[in-house]
Amino acid sequence: MLRLIVRIFLSALAFIYVLPMIQGISFHGNFMAAIGISIIFAVMLTVVELLALAISAVLTVSTLGLALLWLIPLWILGFWLLPAVALMLVADFMPTYLTVSGWIPAILAGLVMMAVGMATSKEVWQESTRSRTA
């Protein structure tokens, strides 16, 4: 639970301070709006990831596994695009708070949000608690 709160807090800080530094992204709102956008971004990212997995599963089953020949390289090379897609969807749903003008700023912001997600991932969180107790 604490990890989730820290992740939302860091995402909100990223929406307020880091993402507006990227040319083409602007955030209009206060800290509470940033927390709301962070929660919406987390839900949207989950939906985008589940949709990508579902499409991959359907393609794999319907082609009897032949689609894996191009799906595996696509996943390896394109996993960093999922946060950008989620960010564009959030900007489309909440244009009064977040504006993204193009895919290049969305990809850069998605990489920032992926870094926040990696910093608060389960593995990193467990490693930091292990190093404090040892």
Side-chain angles (χ1 to χ4, degrees):
M1 184 67 175
L2 181 63
R3 186 172 56 94
L4 178 66
I5 293 170
V6 169
R7 179 177 276 193
I8 290 173
F9 182 77
L10 288 177
S11 294
L13 289 177
F15 274 112
I16 290 176
Y17 296 113
V18 179
L19 296 188
M21 289 182 183
I22 299 171
Q23 186 175 359
I25 296 179
S26 59
F27 177 75
H28 313 285
N30 55 12
F31 187 70
M32 293 307 290
I35 287 178
I37 292 288
S38 297
I39 293 170
I40 293 170
F41 175 75
V43 169
M44 196 66 67
L45 184 59
T46 303
V47 168
V48 166
E49 288 174 351
L50 288 175
L51 189 63
L53 284 173
I55 291 171
S56 297
V58 167
L59 285 173
T60 302
V61 170
S62 65
T63 62
L64 300 175
L66 289 176
L68 289 175
L69 293 173
W70 59 272
L71 279 175
I72 290 174
L74 186 66
W75 272 104
I76 291 171
L77 298 175
F79 71 94
W80 50 274
L81 290 174
L82 296 178
V85 171
L87 196 66
M88 290 292 280
L89 289 173
V90 169
D92 287 342
F93 286 128
M94 307 291 285
T96 57
Y97 294 109
L98 183 66
T99 306
V100 179
S101 61
W103 282 101
I104 300 295
I107 290 171
L108 294 175
L111 291 174
V112 169
M113 297 308 288
M114 189 185 327
V116 169
M118 285 184 194
T120 58
S121 70
K122 187 176 182 179
E123 293 81 18
V124 172
W125 195 265
Q126 287 175 348
E127 183 64 33
S128 68
T129 57
R130 252 186 266 155
S131 64
R132 279 187 278 166
T133 58

